[in-house]
Amino acid sequence: MKRPSSGGGWRAILYTLRKARQSGGLLKMWRAMRTRNACKTCAVGMGGQHGGMVNEAGRFPEVCKKSLQAMAADMQGAIRPEFWSTYALAALRMWTPRQLETSGRLVQPLLYERGQANYRPIDWTEAMERLARGLRGVPADETFWYFSGRSSNEAGFLLQLVARLYGTNNVNNCSYYCHQASGVGLTSSIGSGTATVVLDDLEQADMVFLIGGNPASNHPRLMTNLMHIRRRGGEVVVINPVVETGLVNFRIPSDVRSLLFGSPIASLYVQPHIGGDLALLTGIAKRIDELGAQDHEFLRQHCAGHEQWLEYLRRQEWAEIHRRSGVEPAQINELAEKYAAARNVIFAWTMGITHHAHGVHNVQAIANLALMRGMVGRPHAGLLPIRGHSNIQGIGSVGVTPRLKEVIFQRLQEQFSIELPTTPGRDTLECIEGADRGELKVGFCLGGNLYGSNPDAAFAEQALDKLDLLVHLSTTLNTGHVHGLARQTIILPVLARDEEPQPTTQESMFNYVRLSDGGPRRLDGPRSEVEVIAELAQRLLGDSGPIDWQSMRDTGRIRQAIAQVVPGFEQLATIDQTRQEFQIGGRTFHRPQFGTADGRAVLHCPPLPDLQGAGGQLRLMTVRSEGQFNTVVYEDDDLYRGQERRDVILLHPRDVERLGLRAEQLVTVRSETGSLPRILVRPFESIKPGNALMYYPEANVLVPRHADPLSRTPAFKSVVVTLEAANPAAV
Ligand SMILES: Nc1nc2c(c(=O)[nH]1)N[C@H]1C(S)=C(S)[C@@H](COP(=O)(O)OP(=O)(O)OC[C@H]3O[C@@H](n4cnc5c(=O)[nH]c(N)nc54)[C@H](O)[C@@H]3O)O[C@H]1N2
Ligand SMILES: Nc1nc2c(c(=O)[nH]1)N[C@H]1C(S)=C(S)[C@@H](COP(=O)(O)OP(=O)(O)OC[C@H]3O[C@@H](n4cnc5c(=O)[nH]c(N)nc54)[C@H](O)[C@@H]3O)O[C@H]1N2
Ligand SMILES: [Mo]
């Protein structure tokens, strides 16, 4: 498949028209996209009260292929009742994520019981009774509660409260497989775990470091900001082992000049080895110190540990930095000189930074580099973790974490006159491991695909299989509904955000709270998440306790509760009247007064990790293609990397030759955890030699359960693999 020379452009527009046609016409799609609801895909934060396709700065139209994909998925027809008797589980297990997703919307509660061949539809009453009975039958700490990041603040807050009053802190969200390292790393450096900037800062910056992310595919609307920086004469420095087409040149569909001629994005593209960022970032800092370009005054006044840190930089040897990063000192010098010359710099990063056993250290190294030149604590400069799911940040803010923030814990107890459990809660990986050891019996999933997102897929399946009861609240079918089935598995169909009967709220990666109006239901059958959770609470915990669960069916009432207990969310109390979306207090640092105890930022001295893999081994990253959203695959081809199928491994041509392989050869890919047979070798000039690329979620069979000890995030981007030529007869 031929690779296009730029991202975005007419292809994106034609795609839009095609999707619209499939969903019942352009007008219908346009109307759906323009309702006042926060966009469903990534956390850049579009939509809300300004109307769909409008960004936080009020700019319109801001549309991307991904939001259309998500919308089209929700606009599908219902899965028909006979589907469940027609297709046995054995058959559905053979289906691809794409086939499952396009089966239609889930509209009936479904039950699978061990020994049966099929799911069968049941009514809501039976489903809720089974669920309440299953939960009542086990000690609370033998259950876990997993949340994805697409549900609302209201649903997230309510369900974590139910879980805790029921008696467990085994409450976690998909962040543990995503940006947890950013939260932990940032909190350790600046005392707050989210972005320090607002969207406007990005508009004003004159340099952006874009590290370990592919926003051309995964956060397309950020590309407009990057284009503007270049047009203003600013710098966009990309650090990525892969040269991603859309980060070199992108055609922004809503900008005529860009659409016709393309917009250069990266002004400097640096390719470290996978996992080489920490050494590279430390090298840039070392060079800044050598150039004397640090802000001495800022370091002295606002940073704890700066003397030790400078000593640590001076101790590092250039040869080691070069070896561990894979980047030549001359290029590190170029990076440092650009950084030294810039005035307002934003550091943005994604999964290439967090999906490592040293993810927190990576984030600390980014914060160090920014602090060194006083780039945190003033306007137009700062730190920006580019978040994943559209409300993943909100889910975390409102208390969906094993351990509640002390102030939330105290206020919840006081406001509601309740006593919350103090037992330690498990993170996501611990829940899977606990299930395998038989310590957990019941799982409850608010959206997402817990099976599909896990490392060591075979292990995850085996662990979930051991549960007595597993419940999913879902909109569409995914691999997690057909693999890893508990003795009793129940699927409850829920409404999407823009079909909710009442308003809900979401939080963007810029700490901006969006109000979504909801809208008319598209199909009979699914229920609102909040309604399902409140009913569960009534059945499980009764109405005689301190919380009137009936009243909690009203999302406005839940907003009142969040406003009372979550710091920075006070304005949620009046949002129903004012309809005023807002910036969460205490998170944007435009002054060098940080969230730490003494208001000073902290410089850490993380050890430089050795690179994984040597000799015949390769370092493998597992990533998203252009046509997927996490475990949901919309299209098999990955346009910008020129791949028309997903069962491939991308290697530098030099590695293909070095390993005695050839293009299109079938190999078995092996790691310490598993193997994948019949994978096609594809030479790929754009990847740094020594490294390899495969697609998630299929490659999860290969990903070990090694997690960053500080954030518990698995090293999804750093898997050591070897390739074995398949039997020539099979080729
Ligand atoms: N369309 C679409 N949008 C999405 C998603 C989606 O699946 N599809 N998912 C959403 C979610 S939940 C998330 S978390 C984000 C994910 O957004 P991204 O993080 O952009 O996605 P990935 O494909 O996991 O990783 C991407 C990049 O990391 C680079 N990389 C890999 N290893 C390293 C490394 O060691 N160092 C460096 N510097 N780079 C490395 C890869 O080359 C690749 O370009 O996107 C969100 N938005
Ligand atoms: N190897 C490898 N593994 C990874 C990653 C990687 O890069 N490599 N990335 C990791 C990352 S960053 C993440 S975030 C996780 C993703 O982990 P998850 O968030 O658990 O997975 P998703 O695939 O996003 O979940 C999709 C499902 O959510 C449901 N859904 C969609 N909309 C709604 C809604 O409005 N309400 C409800 N209740 N359900 C809804 C649909 O049924 C859909 O099938 O995977 C992680 N796993
Ligand atoms: Mo994510």
Side-chain angles (χ1 to χ4, degrees):
M1 196 173 131
K2 195 175 168 314
R3 282 177 84 182
S5 58
S6 60
W10 292 108
R11 270 181 220 89
I13 293 178
L14 289 174
Y15 184 89
T16 306
L17 296 172
R18 204 168 67 233
K19 273 284 160 198
R21 209 175 51 238
Q22 286 163 6
S23 310
L26 198 54
L27 189 63
K28 194 168 167 199
M29 178 57 96
W30 176 259
R31 285 204 182 119
M33 294 298 294
R34 283 290 287 154
T35 62
R36 291 203 282 207
N37 288 287
C39 175
K40 296 170 187 172
T41 44
C42 75
V44 171
M46 298 292 149
Q49 287 306 289
H50 301 297
M53 306 192 286
V54 182
N55 77 7
E56 288 173 24
R59 202 171 44 231
F60 171 85
E62 291 284 323
V63 67
C64 80
K65 268 172 75 174
K66 317 300 158 172
S67 38
L68 284 156
Q69 275 167 345
M71 185 59 84
D74 287 343
M75 288 167 78
Q76 295 183 83
I79 298 180
R80 306 186 64 78
E82 58 274 17
F83 178 95
W84 306 107
S85 50
T86 310
Y87 299 106
L89 272 159
L92 293 177
R93 275 197 201 105
M94 308 299 286
W95 286 23
T96 61
R98 178 162 173 265
Q99 286 172 301
L100 292 166
E101 164 74 15
T102 52
S103 312
R105 282 286 297 274
L106 291 160
V107 291
Q108 295 168 291
L110 299 160
L111 170 69
Y112 161 80
E113 285 176 294
R114 179 114 346 128
Q116 291 178 351
N118 297 58
Y119 268 109
R120 71 179 164 87
I122 54 174
D123 64 34
W124 274 97
T125 310
E126 179 181 353
M128 296 306 287
E129 270 169 9
R130 280 178 180 266
L131 173 52
R133 213 180 310 132
L135 285 165
R136 254 187 251 114
V138 290
D141 270 337
E142 292 183 15
T143 69
F144 69 87
W145 308 67
Y146 171 76
F147 299 54
S148 178
R150 205 183 271 189
S151 299
S152 61
N153 290 332
E154 290 75 4
F157 176 82
L158 191 63
L159 186 60
Q160 64 82 30
L161 190 58
V162 173
R164 294 190 214 272
L165 285 175
Y166 163 65
T168 184
N169 284 322
N170 292 339
V171 167
N172 56 62
N173 68 61
C174 63
S175 218
Y176 275 104
Y177 290 167
C178 185
H179 259 298
Q180 189 71 13
S182 303
V184 174
L186 285 174
T187 304
S188 74
S189 295
I190 55 164
S192 172
T194 61
T196 68
V197 294
V198 295
L199 181 61
D200 182 58
D201 293 322
L202 193 57
E203 300 273 347
Q204 309 291 332
D206 62 4
M207 181 173 189
V208 168
F209 275 85
L210 182 65
I211 316 173
N214 183 21
S217 283
N218 298 322
H219 301 87
R221 276 153 306 191
L222 274 186
M223 302 309 289
T224 314
N225 303 99
L226 300 177
M227 170 187 77
H228 286 158
I229 291 172
R230 289 303 307 279
R231 281 192 183 165
R232 288 198 307 273
E235 300 269 0
V236 174
V237 170
V238 178
I239 298 178
N240 195 318
V242 172
V243 177
E244 303 281 16
T245 303
L247 301 185
V248 176
N249 200 293
F250 198 83
R251 290 172 193 263
I252 314 262
S254 60
D255 183 283
V256 176
R257 175 148 64 109
S258 172
L259 180 62
L260 292 177
F261 305 109
S263 298
I265 301 297
S267 48
L268 179 62
Y269 210 119
V270 178
Q271 287 181 275
H273 282 304
I274 293 175
D277 304 82
L278 181 42
L280 172 61
L281 293 159
T282 308
I284 305 172
K286 181 178 173 65
R287 188 68 194 134
I288 291 284
D289 176 44
E290 288 175 359
L291 296 170
Q294 65 265 49
D295 184 338
H296 293 283
E297 191 51 31
F298 185 90
L299 284 174
R300 254 195 308 276
Q301 279 203 12
H302 303 296
C303 301
H306 75 277
E307 275 158 5
Q308 296 90 311
W309 184 63
L310 288 173
E311 274 165 35
Y312 148 93
L313 285 185
R314 291 167 192 163
R315 269 200 316 273
Q316 306 298 330
E317 286 171 22
W318 278 114
E320 277 301 292
I321 290 175
H322 176 205
R323 188 177 70 80
R324 290 175 202 242
S325 65
V327 183
E328 297 286 340
Q331 203 167 31
I332 299 181
N333 180 48
E334 193 182 351
L335 276 165
E337 284 185 346
K338 278 190 192 292
Y339 179 36
R343 278 179 306 141
N344 295 316
V345 185
I346 288 185
F347 292 80
W349 67 92
T350 326
M351 296 301 106
I353 283 297
T354 61
H355 282 168
H356 288 286
H358 56 277
V360 168
H361 289 163
N362 273 341
V363 173
Q364 290 172 337
I366 294 176
N368 288 347
L369 188 58
L371 288 164
M372 172 179 215
R373 292 205 58 236
M375 292 295 167
V376 197
R378 64 181 172 81
H380 311 157
L383 301 167
L384 177 62
I386 305 177
R387 304 289 305 228
H389 270 297
S390 54
N391 194 39
I392 186 56
Q393 206 168 289
I395 288 283
S397 295
V398 299
V400 182
T401 48
R403 197 191 156 94
L404 282 171
K405 285 205 171 99
E406 195 51 36
V407 38
I408 301 185
F409 181 88
Q410 296 297 350
R411 288 187 189 170
L412 268 177
Q413 297 214 123
E414 283 160 24
Q415 300 282 345
F416 292 101
S417 312
I418 50 178
E419 202 166 320
L420 295 170
T422 51
T423 42
R426 295 177 194 243
D427 60 57
T428 311
L429 193 54
E430 275 180 71
C431 287
I432 299 294
E433 292 182 333
D436 187 64
R437 287 193 297 268
E439 295 160 12
L440 295 171
K441 301 283 173 15
V442 177
F444 189 105
C445 299
L446 180 62
N449 180 353
L450 179 56
Y451 158 76
S453 58
N454 255 275
D456 197 347
F459 177 82
E461 172 151 26
Q462 161 196 312
L464 293 167
D465 263 342
K466 292 183 183 170
L467 293 173
D468 286 339
L469 172 64
L470 182 57
V471 184
H472 302 274
L473 266 58
S474 310
T475 50
T476 49
L477 263 184
N478 63 43
T479 52
H481 298 121
V482 295
H483 295 271
L485 293 171
R487 198 167 53 74
Q488 198 184 181
T489 302
I490 295 175
I491 305 176
L492 300 175
V494 291
L495 296 170
R497 178 177 306 163
D498 55 341
E499 306 162 340
E500 289 271 352
Q502 304 178 59
T504 59
T505 58
Q506 290 77 28
E507 174 187 333
S508 81
M509 68 191 206
F510 296 103
N511 303 304
Y512 191 72
V513 174
R514 288 287 202 187
L515 177 63
S516 293
D517 282 352
R521 61 165 60 244
R522 297 191 173 92
L523 298 162
D524 286 332
R527 292 193 178 170
S528 105
E529 292 175 342
V530 162
E531 188 189 337
V532 176
I533 298 164
E535 178 172 344
L536 170 66
Q538 285 179 293
R539 287 178 183 269
L540 189 62
L541 305 168
D543 262 331
S544 54
I547 296 185
D548 173 8
W549 298 110
Q550 181 62 29
S551 77
M552 288 292 189
R553 287 171 188 250
D554 174 359
T555 59
R557 175 71 197 91
I558 305 173
R559 279 188 287 283
Q560 298 291 337
I562 299 174
Q564 283 170 331
V565 302
V566 182
F569 277 72
E570 296 75 15
Q571 293 179 59
L572 218 50
T574 49
I575 201 170
D576 289 33
Q577 293 81 47
T578 62
R579 310 198 72 76
Q580 192 61 53
E581 298 177 324
F582 62 93
Q583 204 73 45
I584 299 165
R587 300 218 187 141
T588 310
F589 294 112
H590 281 163
R591 289 189 314 114
Q593 180 64 34
F594 300 105
T596 50
D598 65 357
R600 289 178 6 127
V602 181
L603 292 163
H604 297 271
C605 304
L608 304 192
D610 238 329
L611 292 173
Q612 306 272 297
Q617 297 173 325
L618 292 160
R619 287 171 290 267
L620 173 76
M621 60 166 80
T622 59
V623 298
R624 294 153 173 79
S625 70
E626 163 68 12
Q628 76 182 82
F629 195 94
N630 294 347
T631 68
V632 180
V633 178
Y634 295 107
E635 292 142 11
D636 284 335
D637 48 328
D638 189 8
L639 188 62
Y640 303 120
R641 299 192 189 106
Q643 305 301 316
E644 81 298 354
R645 53 196 291 172
R646 297 175 59 85
D647 51 353
V648 295
I649 182 162
L650 274 48
L651 308 180
H652 193 275
R654 288 221 301 268
D655 285 323
V656 176
E657 204 190 306
R658 177 174 68 93
L659 298 172
L661 302 167
R662 56 194 158 71
E664 302 300 310
Q665 178 173 0
L666 283 175
V667 291
T668 298
V669 183
R670 284 189 202 287
S671 72
E672 63 180 283
T673 300
S675 63
L676 269 176
R678 302 188 65 78
I679 298 294
L680 275 173
V681 169
R682 290 274 165 95
F684 186 61
E685 291 272 354
S686 306
I687 193 166
K688 175 106 173 160
N691 304 278
L693 179 155
M694 288 181 81
Y695 295 115
Y696 141 70
E698 292 87 335
N700 272 341
V701 203
L702 303 170
V703 180
R705 278 176 278 132
H706 303 314
D708 175 5
L710 300 173
S711 68
R712 304 284 302 147
T713 309
F716 289 118
K717 300 278 189 275
S718 192
V719 184
V720 176
V721 294
T722 51
L723 308 189
E724 202 174 281
N727 175 356
V731 176

